[in-house]
Amino acid sequence: MRIVFLGQPGSGKGTQSERLVRYLNIPHLSTGDMLRQAQTDGTPVGELAAKYLTSGRLVPDNVILDVVKERLEHDDCRRGCLFDGFPRTVPQAKALDAYLQSHDCPLQVVLQLHVPEDLLVQRLLGRGRDDDTSEAIHERFRQYEALTKPLVDYYGRQGLLKRIDGTGTPKEVFDRIKEALASVGPAGPISA
Ligand code: AMP
């Protein structure tokens, strides 16, 4: 199954993604994790991404697209994958659609994890990641409003969007996700 997972920072998307990839046995393509790893490894992409990561601004589309496409070439993505943190903008979504269509393996579902904003801030300040300064958190909210919300409309128009209530225990949220996925078919053929 090929899934895009949308959700504000702090929505629980990371936790639910991990459960979901174990449940479906598909790779987890978290662009944030990929960039942080590139930074740790000191690759050219990592060096380029560093200043965006610390400020909470988005890495340029062409950079992120190269990173994702390279990852999609790996064999483990043939049975599907979960996109987490990508696409973040409509141009990224359009580029992903074009790429997947040219490989005859379109997206099957887009999950949107919804949590009220006051609860989001509470959760973010609690997790204490290096880039969770209140400045970076607010910048990420701002970017989400401006760039990512239009994705919800974009995928809604394609009939792919399923909105999930992200409040409650992780198990309650995961049960809602499984229920939402029950009506989605298998991944279908991939001709590389
Ligand atoms: P995340 O772990 O998803 O919160 O991402 C952390 C940071 O990585 C973001 O604040 C961006 O600087 C960068 N990033 C991750 N995914 C993307 C993306 N799809 N497009 C642009 N920048 C991204």
Side-chain angles (χ1 to χ4, degrees), residues 13 30-33 35-36 52-53 56-59 64 85-88 92 129 131 140:
K13 182 165 56 68
S30 158
T31 44
D33 285 350
L35 293 172
R36 281 185 288 275
Y52 296 96
L53 285 166
R57 278 182 303 135
L58 291 185
V59 171
I64 207 81
F86 172 89
R88 279 251 215 321
Q92 287 182 12
R129 209 171 69 188
D131 59 347
R140 275 190 256 138

Side-chain angles (χ1 to χ4, degrees), residues 11 16 112-116 119 123 162-169 172-174 176-177:
S11 62
Q16 294 298 332
Q112 184 204 3
L113 200 52
H114 183 262
V115 174
L119 190 54
R123 287 184 182 177
K162 292 192 188 285
R163 184 177 156 119
I164 312 285
D165 172 4
T167 62
T169 65
E172 283 166 344
V173 177
F174 192 59
R176 287 180 205 129
I177 291 174

Side-chain angles (χ1 to χ4, degrees), residues 1 23 109 162 175-186:
M1 203 180 277
Y23 176 69
V109 63
K162 292 192 188 285
D175 286 345
R176 287 180 205 129
I177 291 174
K178 284 192 288 191
E179 201 183 311
L181 292 180
S183 59
V184 179

Side-chain angles (χ1 to χ4, degrees), residues 11-60:
S11 62
K13 182 165 56 68
T15 307
Q16 294 298 332
S17 295
E18 274 162 31
R19 294 180 88 129
L20 192 50
V21 294
R22 275 202 307 274
Y23 176 69
L24 295 173
N25 191 28
I26 54 175
H28 182 189
L29 271 59
S30 158
T31 44
D33 285 350
M34 286 152 85
L35 293 172
R36 281 185 288 275
Q37 187 62 49
Q39 198 183 1
T40 305
D41 295 345
T43 67
V45 167
E47 277 174 28
L48 198 148
K51 66 173 189 280
Y52 296 96
L53 285 166
T54 45
S55 69
R57 278 182 303 135
L58 291 185
V59 171

Side-chain angles (χ1 to χ4, degrees), residues 58 60-62 64-65 69 86-99 146-148 150-151 154-155:
L58 291 185
D61 285 349
N62 62 324
I64 207 81
L65 284 164
K69 284 181 189 172
F86 172 89
R88 279 251 215 321
T89 65
V90 171
Q92 287 182 12
K94 288 185 171 165
L96 178 66
D97 275 352
Y99 179 87
L147 298 170
T148 310
L151 280 179
Y154 176 81
Y155 286 127

